[in-house]
C-alpha cells in the first residue's frame, strides 16, 4: 500500500474507514450523479444523520432524475417538508427538469456545465464532477478547508486564506481518484481532524501534517478577529405563494433602509413588519445559519423564516411579486442576502 504522499495515505485510510453513507457507491463503483447531487443539495442545510432517512425516502419515491422531473410540484414540496424551505425544493425540481429536457436525463459531467444548472453553485458542481464523474475538480467545504489549512500550516486568516487553501488542496488531489480524495478529506474533517480537538494520533496523514508538527493544529485555520459592533437580531419572512410569488413590503419612507423594499422583517429596526405576518402560514422553517449583515453602527443577525401559502391577501404595505422578478425590485443588500439564503441556503 503506497502511503508516500498525503493523498495516498488518505486514500488508503479511506478505503477501509470511509463512512458508509446511503448516497455513496460501493468501493470501486462509480457514484450515481443523481444521488450525489441530491445528497449535496440536502446536506447544504442540515446534518448527515438527519438527511440519511429522508434521502432514501426521496429515492424510493423518485428513483431517477427523470422520475423527479416528472413529479408534481406539490408532491415534491410535501416530501421536502422539514428539510428547510421550499425555494430549494423548487430549484431541485427546476434542475431535474432541465436535466431531463435539455440533457436527455443525464447530468452533464463537467464542473462548468454543472454550474449552469439551476440551484447548483460552485461547490456542488465541483463535488458532483469529482465524485460522480471522476473529473479533476476539487470541492472545498468546511472540512476540506480545515484539513488543508492544517496539513500545510496555512497561517493566513480566513477568508483571505481561501485561494491558498484551494491551490494547496488542488495540488495534492490525485488525478486518478479525485472523487474519493474529496470524500476522504470530508470524512477526515468530520471524524478525526475536528475543529477544536483534532485527533492527530489517529490521523492517517499525521506524518505529513505541518500544523501538527508545529503544535498549532487546533489553532488553524485562523479566522480574522471580528470587530466588535453591537449585535441586533431580527427576523425576515420569506413567504411563498403557490403561484411562485413572494411577499414583499415597502419600508417607511424615513429611517434605516427608508422606502426600500424588503421581505417583511421584524425585531431589528423601528420599522416592524405587521404582527399578523406569522399567521399567514401554518409552518415556518428557519434557514440556518442566519444571514449576517454589517451596518455602519451594528451587526445584524437576521433569521430567515420560510413559509408557504396557497393563497393569501397581502397585509398592509405588502405586495406579492414573482420570485423570478426579485432582481427588478431593488432589494437592499441585506435582503438580497436573505433571498439568496432562502433560495440557495447560503
Ligand atoms: Fe488534522 Fe491532526 Fe491529521 Fe493534521 S494530523 S490533518 S491536524 S488530525
Amino acid at each position: 500500500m503506497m502511503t508516500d504522499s498525503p493523498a495516498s495515505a488518505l486514500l488508503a485510510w479511506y478505503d477501509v474507514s470511509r463512512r458508509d453513507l446511503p448516497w455513496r457507491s460501493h468501493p470501486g463503483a462509480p457514484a450515481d450523479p443523481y444521488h450525489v447531487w441530491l445528497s449535496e443539495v440536502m446536506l447544504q442545510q442540515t446534518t448527515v444523520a438527519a438527511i440519511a432517512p429522508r434521502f432514501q425516502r426521496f429515492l424510493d419515491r423518485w428513483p431517477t432524475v427523470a422520475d423527479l422531473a416528472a413529479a408534481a410540484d406539490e408532491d415534491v414540496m410535501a416530501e421536502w417538508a422539514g428539510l428547510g424551505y421550499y425555494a430549494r425544493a423548487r430549484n431541485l425540481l427546476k434542475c431535474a427538469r432541465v436535466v431531463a429536457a435539455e440533457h436527455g436525463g443525464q447530468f452533464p459531467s463537467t464542473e462548468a456545465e454543472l454550474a449552469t444548472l439551476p440551484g447548483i453553485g460552485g461547490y456542488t458542481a465541483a463535488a458532483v464532477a469529482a465524485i460522480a464523474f471522476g473529473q479533476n475538480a476539487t470541492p472545498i467545504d468546511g472540512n476540506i478547508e480545515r484539513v488543508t489549512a492544517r496539513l500545510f500550516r496555512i497561517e493566513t486568516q480566513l477568508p483571505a486564506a481561501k485561494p491558498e487553501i484551494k491551490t494547496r488542496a488542488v495540488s495534492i488531489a490525485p488525478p486518478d481518484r479525485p472523487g474519493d480524495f474529496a470524500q476522504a478529506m470530508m470524512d477526515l474533517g468530520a471524524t478525526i481532524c475536528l475543529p477544536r480537538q483534532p485527533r492527530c494520533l489517529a490521523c492517517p496523514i499525521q506524518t505529513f501534517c505541518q500544523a501538527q508538527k508545529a503544535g498549532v493544529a487546533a489553532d488553524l485555520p485562523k479566522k480574522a478577529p471580528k470587530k466588535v459592533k453591537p449585535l441586533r437580531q431580527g427576523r425576515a419572512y420569506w413567504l411563498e405563494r403557490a403561484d411562485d410569488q413572494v411577499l414583499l413590503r415597502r419600508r417607511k419612507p424615513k429611517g434605516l433602509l427608508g422606502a426600500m423594499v424588503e421581505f417583511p422583517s421584524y425585531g431589528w429596526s423601528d420599522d416592524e413588519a405587521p404582527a399578523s405576518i406569522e399567521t399567514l402560514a401554518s409552518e415556518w422553517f428557519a434557514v440556518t445559519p442566519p444571514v449576517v449583515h454589517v451596518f455602519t453602527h451594528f451587526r445584524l443577525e437576521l433569521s430567515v423564516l420560510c413559509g408557504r401559502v396557497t393563497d393569501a391577501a397581502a397585509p398592509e404595505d405588502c405586495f406579492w411579486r414573482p420570485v423570478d422578478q426579485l432582481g427588478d425590485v431593488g432589494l437592499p443588500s441585506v435582503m438580497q442576502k436573505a433571498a439568496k439564503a432562502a433560495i440557495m441556503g447560503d
Side-chain angles (χ1 to χ4, degrees), residues 43-341:
L43 281 168
Q44 282 163 22
Q45 210 172 3
T46 186
T47 61
V48 164
I51 286 301
R54 303 299 303 273
F55 173 83
Q56 198 53 53
R57 250 172 53 184
F58 234 86
L59 274 197
D60 290 346
R61 204 157 171 193
W62 299 293
T64 68
V65 69
D67 295 323
L68 181 60
D73 290 31
E74 288 311 310
D75 289 347
V76 176
M77 298 300 169
E79 191 61 55
W80 194 262
L83 280 177
Y85 49 91
Y86 296 100
R88 173 158 305 160
R90 198 176 50 233
N91 255 340
L92 192 83
L93 206 41
K94 247 192 223 167
C95 182
R97 288 173 181 161
V98 169
V99 170
E102 296 174 22
H103 298 273
Q106 306 292 324
F107 278 87
S109 61
T110 66
E111 192 178 352
E113 286 175 297
L114 285 160
T116 66
L117 295 172
I120 295 194
Y123 166 76
T124 306
V128 176
I131 296 168
F133 295 107
Q135 299 274 326
N136 279 317
T138 309
I140 308 286
D141 70 354
N143 283 321
I144 298 177
E145 192 169 77
R146 183 169 62 258
V147 172
T148 308
R150 289 172 174 175
L151 182 59
F152 291 99
R153 196 183 165 187
I154 295 171
E155 302 265 2
T156 312
Q157 289 175 344
L158 285 171
K162 281 177 184 285
E164 187 181 353
I165 287 173
K166 173 97 182 175
T167 303
R168 290 291 202 170
V170 168
S171 76
I172 56 167
D176 55 333
R177 297 181 67 187
D180 283 346
F181 174 73
Q183 293 177 99
M185 292 282 273
M186 291 171 191
D187 281 15
L188 191 75
T191 61
I192 290 181
C193 195
L194 301 170
R196 293 209 180 117
Q197 293 183 309
R199 298 168 50 219
C200 300
L201 292 178
C203 179
I205 56 172
Q206 186 194 356
T207 55
F208 302 96
C209 182
Q210 295 176 30
Q212 201 272 336
K213 273 185 204 139
V216 296
D219 301 331
L220 299 181
K222 287 190 174 162
K223 296 187 178 154
K226 292 183 180 108
K227 287 183 189 148
V228 182
K229 287 189 178 190
L231 174 67
R232 293 190 196 174
Q233 291 172 307
R235 293 173 163 192
Y237 297 90
W238 170 278
L239 183 65
E240 294 175 26
R241 209 168 61 179
D243 59 355
D244 282 348
Q245 306 226 21
V246 65
L247 192 68
L248 295 170
R249 183 176 81 117
R250 175 83 55 192
R251 291 175 63 84
K252 283 183 197 163
K254 294 204 172 143
L256 198 59
L257 305 183
M260 297 197 80
V261 173
E262 66 165 8
F263 305 108
S265 68
Y266 179 86
W268 62 280
S269 75
D270 58 5
D271 188 6
E272 309 282 33
S276 62
I277 190 92
E278 287 203 355
T279 65
L280 292 179
S282 55
E283 280 185 295
W284 294 92
F285 300 106
V287 177
T288 53
V291 164
V292 174
H293 191 77
V294 181
F295 289 91
T296 315
H297 300 297
F298 66 95
R299 187 168 167 266
L300 172 64
E301 273 183 18
L302 191 66
S303 290
V304 181
L305 298 176
C306 302
R308 185 173 171 82
V309 286
T310 308
D311 198 7
E316 194 186 349
D317 297 333
C318 296
F319 55 95
W320 295 99
R321 270 289 177 282
V323 174
D324 58 10
Q325 291 176 17
L326 283 181
D328 304 331
V329 297
L331 290 174
S333 51
V334 62
M335 293 299 157
Q336 288 177 23
K337 287 184 189 174
K340 191 175 172 213

